[in-house]
Amino acid sequence: MDNRQAIGSWLSGPRAAAEDAGVDFGYRGERLGLPEEGPGSIARPGRRIGAIAIDWGLCMVIAYGLLARGNPQAMGNWALGLLFVMSLLTVGTVGSTPGKRLLGLRVVSEDGGRLGFVRVLVRSALLCVGIPALIWDRDGRGLHDRLARAAQVRI
């Protein structure tokens, strides 16, 4: 092997080196049987981050206006509790939170149906912990979605 090829693969990163070796990564959601683009495809990270930011902002406003009584520490705690309850109720019934609905996203099970109560409970609790949402798999699903056997798709 030429040294320039080895340096090029190192600079390009492990994915490029694996692709050069013949590994087929496919597109996000291919392993789940979802389309590559359009409705039903895996939601992009920007939309998902935007949706959680909208939901968090909504929870902060409600916590500040109704529950915290001017205490910043209490406001954050109340907002986290509201995020959990909102996620549990809205994802469990209509499949999306207000932020997800505004940005055209929906949470579905891996087989395309609705999530059951226990799976929504697991997903919502892990989302409130935060770290699982920051760890993604090859399909672009957060660990909270993967453990709940769910996916966020475009409407």
Side-chain angles (χ1 to χ4, degrees):
M1 174 182 254
D2 185 11
N3 285 339
R4 288 176 290 173
Q5 287 178 333
I7 292 172
S9 67
W10 176 77
L11 291 174
S12 302
R15 182 179 178 120
E19 287 173 345
D20 290 343
V23 175
D24 179 26
F25 286 101
Y27 62 86
R28 293 176 184 231
E30 183 176 20
R31 295 184 304 165
L32 300 171
L34 299 174
E36 186 172 1
E37 294 292 327
S41 64
I42 291 286
R44 298 283 181 204
R47 279 190 180 188
R48 293 186 352 221
I49 292 169
I52 193 70
I54 290 169
D55 292 336
W56 181 251
L58 180 62
C59 290
M60 289 291 281
V61 167
I62 293 169
Y64 178 76
L66 299 177
L67 303 168
R69 298 185 180 123
N71 184 347
Q73 178 65 36
M75 183 175 65
N77 293 337
W78 278 111
L80 188 59
L82 286 171
L83 181 69
F84 174 75
V85 170
M86 180 177 66
S87 178
L88 188 65
L89 293 176
T90 58
V91 172
T93 56
V94 295
S96 60
T97 61
K100 288 183 191 347
R101 179 63 67 178
L102 283 172
L103 296 181
L105 305 178
R106 186 161 188 237
V107 179
V108 297
S109 69
E110 288 177 340
D111 61 7
R114 290 181 48 186
L115 291 179
F117 176 75
V118 173
R119 289 168 57 187
V120 172
L121 180 69
V122 167
R123 183 185 182 281
S124 299
L126 290 172
L127 179 63
C128 288
V129 172
I131 300 299
L134 299 174
I135 301 170
W136 296 353
D137 68 0
R138 188 178 107 187
D139 289 317
R141 295 186 305 163
L143 185 58
H144 64 300
D145 283 331
R146 187 171 172 106
L147 292 175
R149 295 189 332 262
Q152 292 185 55
V153 297
R154 294 173 53 193
I155 298 176

